[in-house]
Amino acid sequence: MRARIVILISGRGSNMAAILAAGLPLQVAAVISNLPEADGLELAAAQGIPTVVVDHRLYPTRAAFDAALAETIEGYAPQLVVLAGFMRLFTAEFVARFRGRLINIHPSLLPSFPGLHTHRQALAAGVRIHGCTVHFVTEQVDHGPIVAQAAVPVLADDTEALLAARVLRCEHVLYPRVLQWWAEGRLEDQGGGRIRVRGSFRSSGSLMTPEPDA
Ligand code: GRF
């Protein structure tokens, strides 16, 4: 039987779309959003994926929202909960309940630039290499065990939008790839906050920025 995942979104849903388009050996049991206006919901529904809204504004506390969200998720009995631009912070209780089953993509090379406006942070810091990270979620925001990262150059004339677009293209490759490995049972928790991906990988050399032409 194929493994089941649930995807959580809050907006555009381009990572969700990349996951749906990848033809992964898993079943997307539902797409859940905390906002009814999230564009990704329509996209998922158009592909026949069940969609659900658990509107956080209807709950008096974060704990009440998290409890309702957890119940909704558990209703689909997923083995993995995939955060794809889900813009709510979780309570420790929620994270504990889904420990090891909660995965996220963050648009920076963690542990650099946790939080919001990561591309702005990268430009302000003057880094020459930036990227994205897929990691398991722990209580500390944007700090869980790292599964995989993709790096891009930061170019001299970059704007926040240009850099964000370059990183996003990598996100759309990296997240489906990680979920494929997960579905194949290749992610191994080594303890101490470290994940090993089983299998052999080629080293694709180095990324140096700036790099002279020719
Ligand atoms: C992505 O940049 C993701 O890394 C971050 O939020 C953004 C979501 O974009 N967590 P989308 O909704 O997947 O298009």
Side-chain angles (χ1 to χ4, degrees):
M1 221 177 71
R2 289 193 302 171
R4 292 161 67 86
I5 68 169
V6 158
I7 304 178
L8 267 54
I9 63 168
S10 294
R12 179 174 62 179
S14 72
N15 276 286
M16 176 209 74
I19 293 165
L20 295 180
L24 299 171
L26 48 78
Q27 185 194 346
V28 180
V31 170
I32 302 175
S33 173
N34 63 308
L35 292 172
E37 62 270 27
D39 289 331
L41 286 173
E42 257 181 59
L43 226 142
Q47 302 202 26
I49 312 281
T51 59
V52 189
V53 174
V54 184
D55 189 335
H56 67 276
R57 295 165 296 196
L58 303 180
Y59 295 87
T61 60
R62 193 177 289 280
F65 167 68
D66 276 9
L69 181 63
E71 286 306 310
T72 304
I73 293 170
E74 297 287 24
Y76 292 95
Q79 280 93 47
L80 190 70
V81 178
V82 175
L83 306 179
F86 187 71
M87 301 303 287
R88 302 291 303 167
L89 296 177
F90 293 121
T91 55
E93 289 71 23
F94 183 96
V95 173
R97 184 163 173 175
F98 291 99
R99 179 169 288 282
R101 295 198 286 151
L102 199 53
I103 199 165
N104 182 43
I105 189 157
H106 181 77
S108 79
L109 293 173
L110 291 173
S112 290
F113 315 131
L116 297 174
H117 310 301
T118 54
H119 312 301
R120 195 182 307 167
Q121 291 189 56
L123 289 174
V127 296
R128 297 292 189 265
I129 295 173
H130 183 44
C132 56
T133 303
V134 175
H135 67 97
F136 283 99
V137 174
T138 54
E139 282 77 8
Q140 203 183 347
V141 178
D142 299 331
H143 271 84
I146 291 170
V147 181
Q149 294 183 308
V152 300
V154 180
L155 305 179
D157 297 326
D158 264 345
T159 60
E160 205 177 327
L162 281 172
L163 185 54
R166 194 175 307 125
V167 171
L168 192 64
R169 282 196 293 276
C170 284
E171 296 186 36
H172 295 165
V173 176
L174 190 70
Y175 217 176
R177 187 179 288 175
V178 166
L179 295 179
Q180 171 90 35
W181 293 334
W182 171 81
E184 293 169 352
R186 289 167 62 183
L187 306 190
E188 184 187 328
D189 186 345
Q190 298 197 296
R194 291 175 57 94
I195 301 288
R196 179 191 165 90
V197 184
R198 286 200 213 93
S200 64
F201 295 93
R202 76 185 143 84
S203 156
S204 40
S206 54
L207 169 62
M208 294 186 198
T209 312
E211 193 172 28
D213 259 347

